[in-house]
Amino acid sequence: MFLSVFDIFKIGIGPSSSHTMGPMTAAGWFLDLLRQSPAAQDAVRVRCILHGSLAFTGRGHATDRSIALGLLGWRPADIDLDEAERQLALLSQEKMLRLDGLPPLFFDPNEDIVFDYGPALSGHANGLIFNALDKTDKPIVSETYYSIGGGFIVTAAERTAPQTKVAEEVATWPFPFDNAASMLRMAEASGLSIAAMKLQNEAVSQDAGQVQSDLSRIWRAMNDCIERGLAQEGELPGGLHVKRRARHIHAQLVAEKRSNLSQPHTVSDWLSVYAMAVNEENAAGGKVVTSPTNGAAGVVPAVLRYYLDHCTGADPERINDFLLTAAAIGGLIKHNASISGAEAGCQGEVGSAAAMAAAGLCAVLGGTPGQVENAAEIALEHHLGMTCDPVAGLVQVPCIERNGIGATKAVAAASLALRGDGSHFMPLDNCIEAMRQTGEEMSAKFKETSLGGLAVNLPEC
C-alpha cells in the first residue's frame, strides 16, 4: 500500500472534497474518455446523474457548480475563480460546451444535472453517471464514477476490481507498511522516524528535494488559507445566514495577548480560530488543501500553525516532518477504513484529521514512532461514532466549529502520548478497524445525507 503525501494533501477549492473536487475531477475524466471514443463525433449533449449523498446534499455542497466547471475544463488544483465565474455565466446563457477535440455539446446545468433521490449506487454512497447523448437522446458514451472522499475518484470498474498487490511494485517501496503494526516494525528495524520512511517511499517516484519543495508549497497554501480566513468577515453563502467569526475571535485573542489578560485555556481558542478560519474559507468556496478532506481541512493546518506560533522550541525546519508523518497516518486510515463522510460519517473526516494532526505534532515535539502511533490512536478513538449531519447540506454547521474542537483534541492526544513511553492498550490498527465497522453499521441518515442528526433538529425561527 502506498498513498503519496500529495494524495492526502491536495490543493483545491471548497466546500467539499467529495462533493466538489471529486465531481469536478470526474467531469474532466469523462471528457478525456469522450475524446478517446470514436462515437464522440455523434455526441450532441452531455448529462450527469447524481446518486446517494451527492444527490441529497449536492446543491448545498455546490456539486452542480463543480460539475459544470469540470465540463468547462477546469481542475481543482489550477482553477482561476474569477475566470471560472465568467465562464459559468456564459454557459448559463449559451448552454453550450466548446472544448478542444470535441464537437459543440449542449449542456444546460439546470436540466442536464439530475439529482436522483432514490437508492444509492452499489459501489459507494457518492455515485455519479455521465452520459454523452446523440441527437436522438440515446447514450453513446457512458461512465460511472464514485467520489470516495478526499477528492479521490474511481470508476465503477476500478471500484469492483480485485484489490491485489503487484509484487514488483511493492518491492520498489523501501518501507511498504500497510498498517500501523508494520510501520512500527519497520521503524524499529531501520532506526528511522515515520517521516523519514515516508520520505524515502516518496523518493521512489520523484526526487527527494522536489518532495520537500512541494511540501513547502502545500504548507504555504494551508497557511495562506488561514490568513485569508482571519482577514475576512461577513456572511457565508448558502442561505443559513451563518456569519464568519474567525476575524473577530482573532482580534480578541490578539488584544488579550497584548494586555496579558489571557486565561490559560485560551490556547484552545487559538487552535479553534486557526481551524475555523480555514473552514470558513472552505464554506465560501475558497482555495483549501484536503487534509485529508475539505470538510476536515482546518485541523492539520491549525495544529501545525499552533506548533509554530505557540510551542516552545518550534522549528520551521520540521514542518515537512509534520506533514509527512500526518500523511502516513492518513494513508493508513484511508487504506484500511475510509476518510469519506458519506461512507464513515464525520469520524472518517474530522476523526482522521485529528489523528493525523496528533501524530504530526507528537513527531515534531520529539515523539518516538511508538508515541506517534499512540497519539494518532488517542485522537481517533475519541471521535468514534461521530456522525456527518451538515445542516442544509452546507459545510458550515456543525462543520466549522467541529474542526476547531478536532484540533484541540489532536493537541491533547499528542500531549498525553508524549507523557508515556509509546506502550498502550488499544493499537491504532484496532481503532481504525473499529471506525470502519462503526461506519458500516451507521445509518445512512447520519452519513452526509442531511436526513438525520443536527440537520433535522433546527431552531424554529
Side-chain angles (χ1 to χ4, degrees):
M1 187 282 301
F2 180 70
L3 280 171
S4 171
V5 62
F6 305 111
D7 290 327
I8 299 297
F9 298 124
K10 296 190 286 289
I11 298 174
I13 60 169
S16 171
S17 50
S18 61
H19 286 56
T20 308
M21 290 173 59
M24 188 185 301
T25 301
W29 284 19
F30 182 70
L31 291 178
D32 291 340
L33 176 68
L34 187 57
R35 289 187 178 98
Q36 297 166 12
S37 172
Q41 60 184 352
D42 297 321
V44 300
R45 186 172 195 153
V46 174
R47 181 167 292 153
C48 179
I49 306 171
L50 305 176
H51 295 268
S53 178
L54 291 181
F56 283 104
T57 60
R59 287 193 171 88
H61 286 76
T63 304
D64 45 354
R65 177 177 180 272
S66 70
I67 288 170
L69 288 171
L71 290 175
L72 284 166
W74 292 104
R75 300 296 179 267
D78 57 16
I79 190 168
D80 179 329
L81 291 174
D82 291 335
E83 176 60 19
E85 287 299 330
R86 187 192 70 78
Q87 292 183 15
L88 283 175
L90 184 63
L91 178 63
S92 69
Q93 297 174 5
E94 295 188 347
K95 301 177 175 54
M96 293 295 295
L97 299 169
R98 306 181 191 280
L99 302 161
D100 292 340
L102 291 170
L105 298 168
F106 184 86
F107 176 72
D108 180 355
N110 293 321
E111 293 184 9
D112 293 315
I113 299 177
V114 180
F115 294 78
D116 187 324
Y117 300 110
L121 300 179
S122 60
H124 192 275
N126 292 330
L128 62 166
I129 301 173
F130 282 91
N131 292 306
L133 310 174
D134 65 12
K135 60 184 179 182
T136 66
D137 254 7
K138 175 186 175 182
I140 53 175
V141 179
S142 299
E143 185 59 274
T144 299
Y145 300 96
Y146 294 107
S147 183
I148 59 175
F152 290 92
I153 288 290
V154 295
T155 64
E158 290 169 338
R159 188 65 172 169
T160 58
Q163 298 299 305
T164 57
K165 293 181 179 178
V166 179
E168 295 80 7
E169 184 182 5
V170 173
T172 65
W173 307 328
F175 301 100
F177 52 84
D178 60 359
N179 55 37
S182 61
M183 179 182 72
L184 292 179
R185 286 196 301 270
M186 293 177 191
E188 182 176 7
S190 66
L192 296 175
S193 68
I194 293 170
M197 293 192 299
K198 184 69 173 166
L199 180 59
Q200 287 199 26
N201 283 346
E202 296 287 340
V204 169
S205 57
Q206 60 176 318
D207 178 74
Q210 187 62 49
V211 174
Q212 299 281 17
S213 176
D214 289 345
L215 283 171
S216 296
R217 178 175 57 87
I218 291 294
W219 169 240
R220 286 195 300 273
M222 288 179 170
N223 198 49
D224 287 348
C225 188
I226 292 175
E227 292 299 325
R228 287 195 307 274
L230 294 177
Q232 302 297 320
E233 57 187 353
E235 200 171 273
L236 293 171
L240 290 182
H241 306 295
V242 172
K243 293 182 178 179
R244 289 180 181 253
R245 290 183 288 162
R247 178 175 177 174
H248 177 64
I249 294 172
H250 184 250
Q252 289 179 314
L253 291 170
V254 170
E256 290 171 7
K257 187 176 181 179
R258 288 171 177 165
S259 63
N260 293 319
L261 295 176
S262 297
Q263 295 288 351
H265 58 257
T266 299
V267 68
S268 296
D269 296 338
W270 282 100
L271 277 161
S272 291
V273 80
Y274 296 146
M276 290 171 64
V278 171
N279 284 85
E280 286 177 355
E281 278 296 288
N282 178 61
K287 182 176 286 188
V288 297
V289 179
T290 62
S291 312
T293 66
N294 282 30
V299 178
V300 168
V303 175
L304 183 45
R305 177 70 176 264
Y306 162 80
Y307 165 71
L308 293 170
D309 288 1
H310 300 274
C311 288
T312 302
D315 182 1
E317 295 297 318
R318 301 298 307 277
I319 290 173
N320 288 357
D321 289 341
F322 185 111
L323 294 174
L324 286 163
T325 305
I329 298 302
L332 293 181
I333 296 173
K334 185 182 186 307
H335 177 65
N336 293 296
S338 176
I339 58 171
S340 168
E343 195 169 35
C346 199
Q347 59 174 358
E349 296 204 37
V350 170
S352 297
M356 293 165 58
L361 181 62
C362 184
V364 297
L365 290 178
T368 65
Q371 289 171 318
V372 168
E373 184 262 0
N374 188 15
E377 185 278 326
I378 294 171
L380 183 60
E381 181 179 58
H382 297 289
H383 283 88
L384 291 180
M386 181 174 282
T387 57
C388 182
D389 47 0
V391 175
L394 299 169
V395 194
Q396 297 178 17
V397 180
C399 318
I400 294 170
E401 287 180 354
R402 191 169 280 177
N403 275 258
I405 301 303
T408 62
K409 284 186 179 182
V411 172
S415 183
L416 282 174
L418 286 166
R419 299 289 183 185
D421 61 4
S423 61
H424 55 105
F425 183 81
M426 182 62 64
L428 175 59
D429 287 330
N430 298 67
C431 190
I432 292 173
E433 174 59 16
M435 189 189 82
R436 186 195 67 78
Q437 293 174 4
T438 302
E440 194 172 81
E441 295 293 329
M442 189 182 290
S443 169
K445 292 190 300 182
F446 303 110
K447 293 192 288 187
E448 213 167 20
T449 58
S450 291
L451 296 177
L454 292 174
V456 297
N457 285 278
L458 306 175
E460 295 183 8
C461 299

